[in-house]
Amino acid sequence: FVILWQFDIAEGSIAAFEEAYDSAGSWSQLFSRSTAYHGTELLKDAYVPGRYVTVDRWDSEDAFRAFRAQYDADYEAVDRSCDAITSSETRIGAFIA
């Protein structure tokens, strides 16, 4: 189960964004509480400055939903802490491999 997000980042926030969203960032640290989480890949757009996509990998949709139910308050806290470093955030979708 894979979840894709697209982000547009203001020039002055790129370093903070990359730190929070890379494979060792605050999101990955949070998700790593679940054994059903298999990592996050951060992709930087080759042509549009400040545009990124994240790829979060999980065992299944049920596993992701169980994680959200268990850690919802922590998820929301990390999400709020990242609001200031993103200009826009779009959930591209959730996919089954």
Side-chain angles (χ1 to χ4, degrees), residues 29-38 58-59 63-64 67 71:
Q29 290 174 23
L30 172 63
F31 293 156
S32 292
R33 295 178 186 176
S34 171
T35 59
Y37 170 68
H38 298 289
W58 295 84
D59 279 346
F64 175 70
F67 168 82
Y71 296 106

Side-chain angles (χ1 to χ4, degrees), residues 1-82:
F1 184 69
V2 177
I3 303 169
L4 300 172
W5 289 87
Q6 177 181 309
F7 300 90
D8 289 304
I9 311 304
E11 186 176 320
S13 299
I14 288 176
F17 174 82
E18 289 177 351
E19 184 176 314
Y21 285 82
D22 73 7
S23 62
S26 52
W27 282 107
S28 290
Q29 290 174 23
L30 172 63
F31 293 156
S32 292
R33 295 178 186 176
S34 171
T35 59
Y37 170 68
H38 298 289
T40 294
E41 188 174 359
L42 178 62
L43 305 173
K44 184 176 183 176
D45 193 299
Y47 301 107
V48 179
R51 179 163 291 163
Y52 293 81
V53 170
T54 58
V55 182
D56 300 323
R57 299 181 193 286
W58 295 84
D59 279 346
S60 65
E61 181 179 5
D62 288 342
F64 175 70
R65 289 183 184 276
F67 168 82
R68 281 297 310 265
Q70 184 173 0
Y71 296 106
D72 189 59
D74 295 331
Y75 184 100
E76 293 300 326
V78 172
D79 194 40
R80 281 190 304 278
S81 74
C82 292

